[in-house]
Amino acid sequence: MDFHCGPSHLYVMTVFFKLLMTVSGVLLMVLGVVIAPLPGPFGVPVMLLGLILLLRSSTWVKRQFMRQVHAHPKLLRPLRAMLRPGAKVIAMMWLHTLRIERRLLPQNRRFMYRFRHELKTILAGRRKRPPKPAHGSGKLLSY
């Protein structure tokens, strides 16, 4: 038996792998849309993962995505920024949640900003901070 992988076998494996990534990306996007109405932001990360798989597997999807980014920059540039390596996804999601809340709710009904600050004060009270040394009493380090 010969287990030699020639160029045609590699091509078939590449096409199969890209097809598998495309199908799993579409399924994750559909799953994200289905679970989006549930409480919590669980649909967004699932949809982002599906979009990442689709963008990695298809140049046609990449072209369409970039056309849409250029056509609707206010909507899709933040999404594109979330897809970059090293992006601070949670901070971006929080910022956009605050923006959506500001657009949808009157000022007296908004709760996300207050919730964050109340949570910060609760957590700051739990953490014991070491006392600061008196001015001039700290030792200088020499290297």
Side-chain angles (χ1 to χ4, degrees):
M1 290 178 97
D2 187 19
F3 291 106
H4 182 282
C5 273
S8 63
H9 288 67
L10 290 176
Y11 176 75
V12 170
M13 287 175 54
T14 304
V15 169
F16 176 73
F17 185 66
K18 284 191 175 197
L19 184 65
L20 183 68
M21 281 179 56
T22 303
V23 169
S24 59
V26 169
L27 289 176
L28 282 173
M29 296 269 300
V30 169
L31 180 68
V33 169
V34 168
I35 64 174
L38 297 177
F42 301 115
V44 174
V46 173
M47 284 190 287
L48 283 176
L49 186 61
L51 183 61
I52 288 169
L53 288 175
L54 282 173
L55 289 172
R56 291 205 176 242
S57 64
S58 171
T59 54
W60 179 81
V61 173
K62 284 181 198 174
R63 278 192 219 115
Q64 295 302 317
F65 180 71
M66 289 310 297
R67 282 185 187 147
Q68 294 304 314
V69 166
H70 291 298
H72 310 287
K74 285 188 176 183
L75 291 174
L76 294 177
R77 279 216 177 118
L79 177 63
R80 186 171 177 226
M82 279 194 241
L83 295 175
R84 289 189 182 124
K88 297 180 180 175
V89 176
I90 294 177
M92 288 181 164
M93 286 175 61
W94 179 260
L95 177 70
H96 290 291
T97 303
L98 289 175
R99 286 182 181 170
I100 290 170
E101 183 185 49
R102 187 175 57 215
R103 288 183 182 162
L104 296 179
L105 297 175
Q107 190 169 7
N108 61 348
R109 305 281 293 199
R110 297 179 197 160
F111 61 92
M112 297 294 287
Y113 184 79
R114 287 189 310 266
F115 169 74
R116 178 176 175 252
H117 283 285
E118 290 171 6
L119 185 64
K120 279 176 72 174
T121 56
I122 291 170
L123 293 176
R126 285 187 181 177
R127 231 180 324 166
K128 300 285 186 187
R129 291 193 177 126
K132 292 183 180 180
H135 183 67
S137 66
K139 295 180 180 177
L140 295 176
L141 298 176
S142 61
Y143 294 101

